[in-house]
Amino acid sequence: MSKWRERYATFEDYLAGTLIVIGVSLIFYGVVCRYVFNSPKAWIDEISTYFVVWGAVTGFAVALRDGHHIQVDIVYDRVSPALRKAFDVFSNALGALFCLCFIFFGGKLLSLYWVTQQQSTDVGIYLWIVYLVIPLSGLMLGYRFVEKLLASLKKEVKIEWNG
């Protein structure tokens, strides 16, 4: 693996992991404030939700990279290697197409919130900041789908003759 790919994989791991850890830590802090000190903090629920969602959505690319994405392989395991390659190419191309739509429509939503300057109710964070994760995670996931698509296109298939 090239240096750039290693660094990018490390970035993905740390980004998703850090966001989840911050979100869960804020949830823990909120529980302690509410039940131990009897001083609930309204902002914690909103901010922790953003961090957990951001961590999960950016973690999709990590799951795809490591082969932990949801897959139905009851048919896949029973077909020929050539058909498996076709399935791989089709599914990864479809995933990349989905990411293009995700980026496009996420960008439209982002631009709407940018123009209207809407803010969240509790904390007052601009919603364009909150929804920035949609096109960014689409780019991250799209990169992984394209990477897998290229790898599946390069995969050689040995044809066995049973005749």
Side-chain angles (χ1 to χ4, degrees):
M1 191 172 5
S2 71
K3 280 274 195 209
W4 185 88
R5 285 186 177 157
E6 283 181 33
R7 288 183 181 144
Y8 182 68
T10 302
F11 166 74
E12 284 177 327
D13 291 338
Y14 279 105
L15 178 64
T18 302
L19 291 170
I20 292 281
V21 167
I22 290 171
V24 171
S25 298
L26 284 171
I27 292 168
F28 178 74
Y29 174 69
V31 169
V32 170
C33 284
R34 177 175 287 133
Y35 294 108
V36 175
F37 299 113
N38 200 24
S39 175
K41 310 285 186 215
W43 63 270
I44 290 177
D45 291 337
E46 183 177 329
I47 299 297
S48 63
T49 301
Y50 295 151
F51 275 103
V52 170
V53 169
W54 292 341
V57 173
T58 56
F60 293 161
V62 175
L64 183 62
R65 178 194 74 209
D66 295 340
H68 297 286
H69 243 252
I70 297 171
Q71 46 190 31
V72 180
D73 53 6
I74 192 167
V75 175
Y76 183 84
D77 291 340
R78 291 179 170 83
V79 298
S80 69
L83 199 50
R84 263 189 232 145
K85 178 180 177 174
F87 283 165
D88 288 340
V89 169
F90 176 75
S91 65
N92 289 313
L94 195 62
L97 181 64
F98 166 78
C99 289
L100 284 175
C101 293
F102 198 63
I103 293 165
F104 176 76
F105 290 110
K108 285 183 69 107
L109 183 66
L110 189 65
S111 67
L112 171 72
Y113 286 128
W114 176 268
V115 169
T116 61
Q117 292 294 300
Q118 292 182 44
Q119 297 178 343
S120 65
T121 52
D122 286 338
V123 181
I125 295 175
Y126 288 107
L127 290 179
W128 68 266
I129 295 170
V130 174
Y131 288 99
L132 185 62
V133 73
I134 296 173
L136 290 179
S137 63
L139 284 170
M140 293 170 68
L141 191 58
Y143 169 74
R144 292 300 176 189
F145 271 119
V146 169
E147 182 180 57
K148 285 191 164 283
L149 174 62
L150 294 175
S152 61
L153 286 169
K154 289 179 185 176
K155 191 186 311 179
E156 288 189 32
V157 178
K158 292 183 181 178
I159 300 174
E160 296 178 15
W161 194 243
N162 292 334

